[in-house]
Amino acid sequence: MALSGRALIHSLLHRSSIAFMLLVTTLLVASWLLVEDGTHGLRQAALARATQAAARAALVVKDELQGAEARLVQSQREGRAGPGVTIAVLPPDVTAALPGAEAGQLRFWPLARGGATPPEVLAFLVPAQPGAPTPMLRIPVATLEALLAPPPGTALRLVTGLGTELAAAGTPGDVHASLWVREGALRVDASAIPARMSLAVLLIPFFGLGTLGFIFRRHLQRTDRVELKLAALRGSLARHAAQLSVNEARMRLSQNERLAAERREQALIEAWPVPVALLDPEGKLSAWNQAFEALLPPETLRRDLPSGMLTRHLDIRAPGKDNGRRGPGNRPRARSTTMADGSRLLEALPDAPPQGLDEARQLCREEMLALAPQLREAVRLGDGAAARRQAHAIRGLAANFGLLALVPVLQALEAAAAAPQMAGLDAALAAFEREFDAALRQLGSAAA
């Protein structure tokens, strides 16, 4: 049932102070958005005016300069001076500002003012070689200023590619736009002044705050204790509901983190090169790979298997050769490694090396023998970045194949290559050379 007008007003006058603050905040935010939107619109209009003024001025200047450029190009083609054009060597200060410029490109340079002589701009073609003669002509600055006719509320500046102002007209504003007349050589900078915001828009927040203040004062006069208690009860229930939602979200997050950790552990176990199993902190079996599964009778392998039962059933005898008896040498060597969370990694190390390990060691040895000369050459040349890359690559190989003595030496070499002045780089390389031969022997071959 719809509320009557009086009942609606009565309900509005009995809102809590929090509701009043929300209304005030909403009013201020809406007013700010209104003012911001209006200001943005006025700045966009000013930017459009500046862009249009820059485009018109660029077209006019371009038309004027095309004739001058045509005379310069004709003089360069004919090898002799034309009307108003001279062929001479550029001043040294102009030549010093041209490195990287393309030959034949039209450039501009403001000439120094001398006495009563009106200011002029030197227009020239970039010579093919520094110090070579090139066609040039003088253009009065007044000619360029006459081309700049900004609309009301805008200003125009003609600027060289080096940032030097040649001519200007109009009243500058705080909204800017630029357009190149000749890419890299001459551009038109335009600016405009945004229109002022209407005073009525700025007064909206004050009228709104006065109205809300009147309503809130009536609210304080009519609020009773029962409604305050009901509001407090509703807030308490809402907080409890929010807390329950937070607790449920935390519980789900904990479950997701646990499942993600189990999946990471399972992926690590599956990629292990030898038979391996993971025991939880309570000493019970939690994960294993297929190679480890082949070492146990199928009916005994299960999760939560105690470590004592696991080691008792662990057997790598070949099928059909044990005659049903356990004898010496039938069990693999087991290596246990304690992890940071209290779990243990149990590796079964049979006498025969894993298939493909010799080939992997051979590839590692060949890769290290190929990378070591590059590392030495980088240190000899003082190339710190290359030395860090080669040392990092060798350190990855050493860590993957258990060359533990070589890893800290390479870490020290990387740090020396990254240090200022590469201090200690030679000493770090000498330490590497001492450990490198031992690493090669550990892989199964002496250093060449």
Side-chain angles (χ1 to χ4, degrees):
M1 181 177 178
L3 293 176
S4 63
R6 183 174 181 180
L8 180 61
I9 294 176
H10 181 76
S11 62
L12 290 176
L13 295 178
H14 283 74
R15 297 297 182 186
S16 65
S17 58
I18 296 178
F20 174 75
M21 296 303 298
L22 288 176
L23 287 174
V24 172
T25 304
T26 303
L27 174 65
L28 293 178
V29 170
S31 302
W32 178 80
L33 291 175
L34 180 63
V35 174
E36 183 68 18
D37 184 71
T39 303
H40 179 73
L42 294 176
R43 292 187 66 85
Q44 289 298 316
L47 179 61
R49 292 199 309 273
T51 304
Q52 293 173 1
R56 287 195 297 268
L59 289 176
V60 174
V61 174
K62 184 176 182 180
D63 292 340
E64 176 68 20
L65 295 179
Q66 280 180 343
E69 184 178 13
R71 283 188 288 165
L72 292 174
V73 172
Q74 182 178 1
S75 298
Q76 185 183 49
R77 188 185 313 113
E78 296 176 354
R80 60 185 180 84
V85 179
T86 59
I87 298 179
V89 177
L90 293 172
D93 56 344
V94 180
T95 304
L98 295 179
E102 297 181 4
Q105 185 181 18
L106 180 64
R107 287 297 180 95
F108 304 90
W109 185 265
L111 297 174
R113 300 184 180 183
T117 304
E120 294 180 321
V121 176
L122 183 65
F124 60 92
L125 299 179
V126 177
Q129 298 293 334
T134 185
M136 61 185 72
L137 60 85
R138 295 170 176 259
I139 301 176
V141 174
T143 301
L144 299 177
E145 288 178 343
L147 302 176
L148 302 179
T154 60
L156 294 172
R157 297 169 62 241
L158 197 60
V159 184
T160 67
L162 300 177
T164 305
E165 180 179 314
L166 300 181
T171 303
D174 58 350
V175 177
H176 301 273
S178 296
L179 193 64
W180 285 97
V181 179
R182 279 286 187 271
E183 187 67 31
L186 194 66
R187 74 174 189 268
V188 176
D189 288 349
S191 60
I193 302 174
R196 294 182 179 180
M197 181 70 65
S198 174
L199 182 61
V201 176
L202 300 177
L203 293 179
I204 289 177
F206 298 100
F207 288 113
L209 288 176
T211 304
L212 290 179
F214 173 78
I215 295 175
F216 184 63
R217 188 175 67 174
R218 295 291 304 271
H219 148 74
L220 292 178
Q221 296 173 354
R222 292 172 176 253
T223 299
D224 53 37
R225 188 173 301 176
V226 175
E227 289 187 354
L228 290 176
K229 289 183 178 181
L230 289 176
L233 180 59
R234 286 194 296 268
S236 178
L237 292 176
R239 285 193 298 271
H240 283 297
Q243 187 62 41
L244 289 176
S245 300
V246 170
N247 292 340
E248 183 179 359
R250 287 177 178 173
M251 182 176 63
R252 292 180 179 176
L253 179 61
S254 177
Q255 293 175 350
N256 293 337
E257 290 177 348
R258 179 175 55 82
L259 291 176
E262 291 178 356
R263 290 172 183 170
R264 288 196 300 270
E265 292 174 355
Q266 187 63 38
L268 176 63
I269 293 300
E270 289 294 338
W272 211 263
V274 297
V276 67
L278 185 65
L279 303 177
D280 60 19
E282 298 179 358
K284 295 182 179 181
L285 182 64
S286 61
W288 59 88
N289 59 7
Q290 292 183 355
F292 190 87
E293 184 177 355
L295 301 179
L296 293 176
E299 65 275 5
T300 61
L301 190 62
R302 69 178 189 275
R303 292 181 63 88
D304 297 332
L305 183 67
S307 58
M309 296 289 292
L310 176 65
T311 54
R312 187 175 71 179
H313 288 293
L314 188 61
D315 197 340
I316 62 167
R317 292 170 294 174
K321 295 183 179 180
D322 58 355
N323 298 323
R325 299 188 301 274
R326 294 182 182 274
N330 289 335
R331 298 174 183 270
R333 291 179 293 111
R335 180 172 63 188
S336 178
T337 304
T338 303
M339 311 300 285
D341 59 351
S343 60
R344 286 189 299 148
L345 197 67
L346 187 64
E347 295 178 278
L349 306 176
D351 295 334
Q355 185 178 4
L357 184 58
D358 291 338
E359 291 81 355
R361 288 177 176 172
Q362 178 66 24
L363 291 175
C364 175
R365 183 169 59 251
E366 293 175 359
E367 185 68 14
M368 290 177 63
L369 287 173
L371 292 175
Q374 301 178 25
L375 174 61
R376 299 185 186 105
E377 181 66 15
V379 174
R380 186 183 68 81
L381 296 176
D383 190 348
R388 287 198 304 273
R389 288 196 302 270
Q390 303 302 331
H392 184 77
I394 299 176
R395 181 162 66 89
L397 292 171
N400 289 336
F401 283 86
L403 306 177
L404 302 181
L406 194 58
V407 171
V409 174
L410 289 166
Q411 287 178 336
L413 199 151
E414 289 185 52
Q421 309 299 327
M422 291 184 289
L425 187 58
D426 294 335
L429 181 62
F432 164 74
E433 298 290 359
R434 289 193 297 270
E435 296 293 340
F436 185 63
D437 294 341
L440 291 177
R441 287 193 296 273
Q442 185 176 348
L443 288 173
S445 173

Short mmCIF file of all heavy atoms in Angstrom, two decimals, residues 358-384:
data_model
loop_
_atom_site.label_atom_id
_atom_site.label_comp_id
_atom_site.label_asym_id
_atom_site.label_seq_id
_atom_site.Cartn_x
_atom_site.Cartn_y
_atom_site.Cartn_z
N ASP A 358 72.12 -40.21 -17.37
CA ASP A 358 73.45 -40.03 -17.96
C ASP A 358 73.38 -39.07 -19.15
O ASP A 358 74.26 -38.22 -19.33
CB ASP A 358 74.01 -41.38 -18.41
CG ASP A 358 74.35 -42.27 -17.21
OD1 ASP A 358 74.55 -41.69 -16.12
OD2 ASP A 358 74.42 -43.49 -17.36
N GLU A 359 72.34 -39.22 -19.97
CA GLU A 359 72.22 -38.31 -21.10
C GLU A 359 72.01 -36.87 -20.63
O GLU A 359 72.56 -35.93 -21.21
CB GLU A 359 71.04 -38.74 -22.00
CG GLU A 359 71.26 -40.04 -22.75
CD GLU A 359 70.99 -41.27 -21.87
OE1 GLU A 359 70.73 -41.08 -20.68
OE2 GLU A 359 71.05 -42.39 -22.40
N ALA A 360 71.21 -36.72 -19.57
CA ALA A 360 70.98 -35.36 -19.04
C ALA A 360 72.27 -34.77 -18.50
O ALA A 360 72.57 -33.59 -18.70
CB ALA A 360 69.91 -35.40 -17.96
N ARG A 361 73.07 -35.57 -17.78
CA ARG A 361 74.35 -35.06 -17.27
C ARG A 361 75.29 -34.69 -18.41
O ARG A 361 76.01 -33.69 -18.34
CB ARG A 361 74.99 -36.10 -16.37
CG ARG A 361 74.28 -36.27 -15.02
CD ARG A 361 74.92 -37.36 -14.21
NE ARG A 361 74.31 -37.46 -12.89
CZ ARG A 361 74.57 -38.43 -12.02
NH1 ARG A 361 75.43 -39.39 -12.35
NH2 ARG A 361 73.97 -38.45 -10.85
N GLN A 362 75.28 -35.51 -19.48
CA GLN A 362 76.12 -35.21 -20.63
C GLN A 362 75.71 -33.87 -21.27
O GLN A 362 76.55 -33.04 -21.62
CB GLN A 362 76.03 -36.34 -21.66
CG GLN A 362 76.84 -36.10 -22.93
CD GLN A 362 78.34 -36.07 -22.66
OE1 GLN A 362 78.79 -36.64 -21.67
NE2 GLN A 362 79.10 -35.41 -23.52
N LEU A 363 74.39 -33.67 -21.41
CA LEU A 363 73.91 -32.41 -21.97
C LEU A 363 74.26 -31.23 -21.07
O LEU A 363 74.63 -30.15 -21.55
CB LEU A 363 72.39 -32.47 -22.18
CG LEU A 363 71.90 -33.42 -23.27
CD1 LEU A 363 70.38 -33.46 -23.28
CD2 LEU A 363 72.42 -33.00 -24.63
N CYS A 364 74.15 -31.44 -19.75
CA CYS A 364 74.51 -30.37 -18.80
C CYS A 364 75.99 -30.03 -18.92
O CYS A 364 76.38 -28.86 -18.94
CB CYS A 364 74.18 -30.80 -17.37
SG CYS A 364 74.71 -29.63 -16.11
N ARG A 365 76.85 -31.06 -19.02
CA ARG A 365 78.28 -30.82 -19.14
C ARG A 365 78.60 -30.04 -20.42
O ARG A 365 79.38 -29.10 -20.43
CB ARG A 365 79.01 -32.16 -19.11
CG ARG A 365 80.54 -32.04 -19.14
CD ARG A 365 81.21 -33.37 -18.85
NE ARG A 365 80.82 -34.41 -19.80
CZ ARG A 365 80.05 -35.45 -19.51
NH1 ARG A 365 79.56 -35.59 -18.30
NH2 ARG A 365 79.75 -36.37 -20.42
N GLU A 366 77.97 -30.47 -21.54
CA GLU A 366 78.23 -29.78 -22.81
C GLU A 366 77.76 -28.33 -22.76
O GLU A 366 78.42 -27.43 -23.29
CB GLU A 366 77.52 -30.53 -23.94
CG GLU A 366 78.09 -31.91 -24.20
CD GLU A 366 77.28 -32.66 -25.25
OE1 GLU A 366 76.27 -32.09 -25.72
OE2 GLU A 366 77.65 -33.81 -25.61
N GLU A 367 76.60 -28.09 -22.11
CA GLU A 367 76.08 -26.71 -22.03
C GLU A 367 76.99 -25.84 -21.17
O GLU A 367 77.26 -24.68 -21.51
CB GLU A 367 74.67 -26.74 -21.45
CG GLU A 367 73.98 -25.39 -21.41
CD GLU A 367 73.65 -24.86 -22.79
OE1 GLU A 367 73.71 -25.66 -23.76
OE2 GLU A 367 73.35 -23.66 -22.89
N MET A 368 77.50 -26.40 -20.06
CA MET A 368 78.39 -25.62 -19.20
C MET A 368 79.71 -25.33 -19.91
O MET A 368 80.28 -24.24 -19.77
CB MET A 368 78.63 -26.37 -17.89
CG MET A 368 77.40 -26.43 -16.99
SD MET A 368 77.65 -27.38 -15.49
CE MET A 368 78.91 -26.42 -14.69
N LEU A 369 80.24 -26.31 -20.67
CA LEU A 369 81.47 -26.07 -21.43
C LEU A 369 81.25 -25.02 -22.52
O LEU A 369 82.19 -24.32 -22.91
CB LEU A 369 81.95 -27.39 -22.05
CG LEU A 369 82.56 -28.40 -21.06
CD1 LEU A 369 82.83 -29.71 -21.76
CD2 LEU A 369 83.83 -27.84 -20.44
N ALA A 370 80.02 -24.90 -23.03
CA ALA A 370 79.74 -23.89 -24.05
C ALA A 370 79.55 -22.51 -23.44
O ALA A 370 79.89 -21.49 -24.05
CB ALA A 370 78.50 -24.29 -24.85
N LEU A 371 78.98 -22.44 -22.22
CA LEU A 371 78.70 -21.14 -21.60
C LEU A 371 79.92 -20.54 -20.90
O LEU A 371 80.03 -19.32 -20.78
CB LEU A 371 77.56 -21.29 -20.58
CG LEU A 371 76.18 -21.59 -21.16
CD1 LEU A 371 75.19 -21.84 -20.03
CD2 LEU A 371 75.70 -20.45 -22.04
N ALA A 372 80.85 -21.39 -20.41
CA ALA A 372 82.00 -20.87 -19.65
C ALA A 372 82.86 -19.93 -20.48
O ALA A 372 83.25 -18.86 -19.99
CB ALA A 372 82.81 -22.04 -19.10
N PRO A 373 83.22 -20.25 -21.76
CA PRO A 373 84.01 -19.27 -22.53
C PRO A 373 83.30 -17.95 -22.73
O PRO A 373 83.93 -16.90 -22.73
CB PRO A 373 84.24 -20.00 -23.87
CG PRO A 373 84.07 -21.45 -23.57
CD PRO A 373 83.05 -21.52 -22.51
N GLN A 374 81.97 -17.99 -22.91
CA GLN A 374 81.23 -16.73 -23.06
C GLN A 374 81.30 -15.90 -21.78
O GLN A 374 81.39 -14.67 -21.84
CB GLN A 374 79.78 -17.04 -23.43
CG GLN A 374 79.63 -17.82 -24.71
CD GLN A 374 78.18 -18.14 -25.03
OE1 GLN A 374 77.28 -17.43 -24.58
NE2 GLN A 374 77.95 -19.20 -25.80
N LEU A 375 81.24 -16.59 -20.62
CA LEU A 375 81.36 -15.86 -19.34
C LEU A 375 82.74 -15.24 -19.21
O LEU A 375 82.88 -14.07 -18.81
CB LEU A 375 81.08 -16.83 -18.19
CG LEU A 375 81.30 -16.29 -16.78
CD1 LEU A 375 80.38 -15.11 -16.51
CD2 LEU A 375 81.07 -17.39 -15.75
N ARG A 376 83.78 -15.99 -19.55
CA ARG A 376 85.14 -15.44 -19.45
C ARG A 376 85.32 -14.23 -20.38
O ARG A 376 85.93 -13.23 -20.01
CB ARG A 376 86.16 -16.53 -19.79
CG ARG A 376 86.12 -17.74 -18.86
CD ARG A 376 87.24 -18.73 -19.20
NE ARG A 376 87.14 -19.95 -18.43
CZ ARG A 376 86.71 -21.11 -18.91
NH1 ARG A 376 86.33 -21.19 -20.19
NH2 ARG A 376 86.65 -22.18 -18.15
N GLU A 377 84.78 -14.33 -21.61
CA GLU A 377 84.92 -13.25 -22.56
C GLU A 377 84.17 -12.00 -22.08
O GLU A 377 84.67 -10.87 -22.23
CB GLU A 377 84.38 -13.69 -23.93
CG GLU A 377 84.50 -12.64 -25.04
CD GLU A 377 85.95 -12.35 -25.40
OE1 GLU A 377 86.84 -13.14 -25.01
OE2 GLU A 377 86.19 -11.34 -26.08
N ALA A 378 82.99 -12.19 -21.49
CA ALA A 378 82.24 -11.03 -20.97
C ALA A 378 82.99 -10.35 -19.84
O ALA A 378 83.02 -9.12 -19.75
CB ALA A 378 80.86 -11.49 -20.49
N VAL A 379 83.64 -11.13 -18.95
CA VAL A 379 84.42 -10.53 -17.86
C VAL A 379 85.63 -9.81 -18.43
O VAL A 379 86.01 -8.72 -17.98
CB VAL A 379 84.83 -11.63 -16.85
CG1 VAL A 379 85.77 -11.05 -15.80
CG2 VAL A 379 83.60 -12.22 -16.18
N ARG A 380 86.27 -10.41 -19.46
CA ARG A 380 87.46 -9.77 -20.05
C ARG A 380 87.09 -8.43 -20.68
O ARG A 380 87.86 -7.46 -20.60
CB ARG A 380 88.07 -10.70 -21.09
CG ARG A 380 89.40 -10.19 -21.67
CD ARG A 380 89.93 -11.13 -22.74
NE ARG A 380 89.07 -11.11 -23.91
CZ ARG A 380 89.12 -10.18 -24.86
NH1 ARG A 380 89.98 -9.18 -24.77
NH2 ARG A 380 88.32 -10.24 -25.90
N LEU A 381 85.94 -8.36 -21.33
CA LEU A 381 85.51 -7.12 -21.98
C LEU A 381 84.87 -6.14 -21.01
O LEU A 381 84.56 -5.02 -21.40
CB LEU A 381 84.52 -7.45 -23.11
CG LEU A 381 85.07 -8.28 -24.27
CD1 LEU A 381 83.95 -8.60 -25.26
CD2 LEU A 381 86.20 -7.55 -24.98
N GLY A 382 84.62 -6.55 -19.76
CA GLY A 382 83.98 -5.66 -18.80
C GLY A 382 82.50 -5.46 -19.04
O GLY A 382 81.93 -4.45 -18.64
N ASP A 383 81.84 -6.42 -19.72
CA ASP A 383 80.40 -6.34 -20.01
C ASP A 383 79.64 -6.96 -18.83
O ASP A 383 79.46 -8.18 -18.76
CB ASP A 383 80.10 -7.08 -21.31
CG ASP A 383 78.68 -6.84 -21.78
OD1 ASP A 383 77.87 -6.30 -21.00
OD2 ASP A 383 78.35 -7.18 -22.94
N GLY A 384 79.20 -6.13 -17.88
CA GLY A 384 78.55 -6.63 -16.68
C GLY A 384 77.23 -7.33 -16.98
O GLY A 384 76.92 -8.36 -16.38
#
